[in-house]
Amino acid sequence: MFLRYHTPVARGPNILVIMTDQHRGDALSCAWPAWRGGPSPVRTPSLDRLAAGGVRFDRAYVANPLCMPARATILTGLPPRGHGVRTNGIDLDPRLPTLPAALARAGYATHSAGKIHVRAYETPKGLDPATLDPAGYPEAQWMWEHGKVTSLPSPYFGFQSADFTGGHTSWMWGDYANWLNREHPGTLALLDAQHGTRPASGAEQSWRMAIPPALHYNTWIADRAIAFLERTAGTGQPFLLSASFPDPHHGFAVPDPWYSLYDRATMPLPVRREGELDDLAPFFRTIVDGNLGHPVSGRHGPTRMPDDHLREILAITCGMVSFVDEQVGRLLAALDRLGLAENTLVLFLADHGDLMGDHWLMNKGPFHFDGLLRVPFIARWPGRIPAGRTTSALASQLDVVPTLCEAVGIPLPEYGPPPGTAVEARNQLASLPGRSLVPVLTGAAESVQDAVVVENDEDYLGLRLRTLVTPTHSLTVYVGEDGLKPFGELFDLAADPGQLRNLWADSGSGPLRAALTERLMAELVRTDSRLPRRQGHA
């Protein structure tokens, strides 16, 4: 179905991609917005140092605000409509070309440490994994235990090797769990809440982990990433290394000293106002009132919670971010120690954000506010990226593959004949929809686009959301399961950065809403699926 071609060996830099999970764009000490007032509630010295050595994008957006669709886009450069992972629980097709595979063909060593999460990693209910098609379920060829895969095939979506973690906080499996059970029997249970300490506030899904930090999965991921760097440093072979941390995704749990690092009383309360739900789509009220049959928001009960619970959760989350930040510092120090820093492009980003109480909501779901859609995005490339810049240029996860391919000097992962052939010349629309950010990184351009698109299919609620973000506005259109009477949100991001005043129904906003809707339609067409690629005239 999807054809691939050989890529010539590249002469570009090493690439280190560091990812976090469910990490807001403002949850860095160097990124706290001035309009929020006061100092940043979180301290991230390692990520601040990374930003000081390169460029930080203040307006980087997800392609989809859920783990699996966003991560599939980062791997393939395709929108969720293109790669098919519309929402969590849909497996990425292993036949699709990926950035790691393209780099591997170009002579790169490719390795993943930590989370990948582009497949469900669980046996489909009622099916024997031994009977599944290996092309559709390559994990079925490996060990399955209690419905969860304990290791990954090699190669895996272009990664030639992987040290794999699945799950979050106490819900962990994969190579990390295998190692912990083998080297430190009985310790895996110390991730659980029942072995930890619950907060006095009673905040839900919150606890101090009993596991020693040296045995925590964050430390293990950094250890395995550093071990790969040490193996590769003397070979002269360029590499792609992904170090992907499951934190600060809920539940809200971390060992000391990070659990106790932040004063609960000083945590800023979320961005919200009384009455704003009346200006939003009806399902918001349903969710906040706790009348939803499925916990789309990631919570077990009603979404409103006492302020002291919110501050507890925020403080623990900040501790989780700081724990990851320490591991990022170890990775950066390893690059320096091994003499790799000068020839390594480091990219730090997250799969999506977290509402963290904004607009009376927690975690994630069909809520296209900036707390969920905006993510950290930092790039450092000594000698090529001028240091110490912050840019307001729009960036999307769709841009990761084009950016890294241009930096390395290889063609985009493609689906048909090699560039330069007669068929390719007649098939210009087959390129990926994202834009290379290299001109912004190097300072050659202020921006490369004036709009980005976010899509989100929420099957549990029968909703489809499409959002357009421009430098000044955001427009979200919802369509219900009956396909009729769309409703949505329109925010003036310059005048209302907290997105507290929905202008969708304002009588004076009609022309602006119409213009943004027209632009949204154009961007959806431009970024739509281009598979399969045309091979001829008939």
Side-chain angles (χ1 to χ4, degrees), residues 4 56 78 107 136 169 202 242 250 268 290 317 334 367 375 399 401 491 517:
R4 305 179 183 182
R56 181 177 66 83
L78 295 166
T169 53
S242 171
H250 66 286
T317 300
F367 324 118
V375 290
D399 304 329
V401 171
F491 294 108
T517 301

Side-chain angles (χ1 to χ4, degrees), residues 1-6 97 413-419 421 423-424 427 430 531-535:
M1 177 180 177
F2 305 123
L3 302 179
R4 305 179 183 182
Y5 58 82
H6 177 72
E414 282 286 3
Y415 310 89
T421 65
V423 173
E424 192 275 339
N427 200 9
L531 297 178
R533 185 173 182 173
R534 182 176 181 177
Q535 302 298 310

Side-chain angles (χ1 to χ4, degrees), residues 385-411:
I385 296 178
R389 290 186 300 128
T390 298
T391 177
S392 59
L394 293 176
S396 166
Q397 289 171 340
L398 284 170
D399 304 329
V400 171
V401 171
T403 299
L404 295 181
C405 283
E406 180 174 347
V408 168
I410 62 172

Side-chain angles (χ1 to χ4, degrees), residues 190-368:
L190 297 182
L191 295 169
D192 294 345
Q194 62 182 350
H195 293 284
T197 305
R198 297 281 191 177
S201 68
E204 65 175 48
Q205 301 184 66
S206 303
W207 69 96
R208 176 172 53 208
M209 284 181 170
I211 196 166
L215 301 182
H216 190 274
Y217 49 81
N218 285 341
T219 306
W220 182 85
I221 291 168
D223 286 346
R224 302 315 304 154
I226 292 169
F228 171 81
L229 293 174
E230 292 171 341
R231 293 194 305 270
T232 309
T235 67
Q237 183 181 16
F239 62 80
L240 165 67
L241 170 61
S242 171
S244 183
F245 297 92
D247 284 357
H249 188 290
H250 66 286
F252 313 104
V254 70
D256 267 334
W258 295 277
Y259 178 86
S260 304
L261 186 60
Y262 292 98
D263 179 9
R264 276 59 175 161
T266 64
M267 288 291 110
L269 287 172
V271 177
R272 58 192 182 179
R273 71 171 176 86
E274 291 291 344
E276 68 174 304
L277 295 174
D278 298 331
D279 300 330
L280 300 174
F283 74 87
F284 279 87
R285 175 68 69 182
T286 302
I287 291 171
V288 169
D289 289 344
N291 297 322
L292 191 65
H294 187 279
V296 172
S297 65
R299 301 197 56 235
H300 300 302
T303 306
R304 288 181 184 267
M305 64 172 65
D307 286 352
D308 63 329
H309 288 204
L310 278 170
R311 288 192 165 106
E312 184 82 58
I313 286 171
L314 288 165
I316 297 171
T317 300
C318 287
M320 296 169 79
V321 171
S322 289
F323 190 5
V324 172
D325 181 80
E326 180 180 87
Q327 305 312 309
V328 171
R330 294 181 60 215
L331 290 171
L332 299 179
L335 291 178
D336 292 336
R337 171 172 56 85
L338 297 168
L340 297 170
E342 292 303 310
N343 192 39
T344 299
L345 194 167
V346 180
L347 177 64
F348 176 80
L349 74 163
D351 55 1
H352 56 82
D354 189 311
L355 288 164
M356 297 303 292
D358 286 356
H359 314 288
W360 313 99
L361 297 159
M362 291 293 294
N363 307 141
K364 55 185 181 283
F367 324 118
H368 283 197

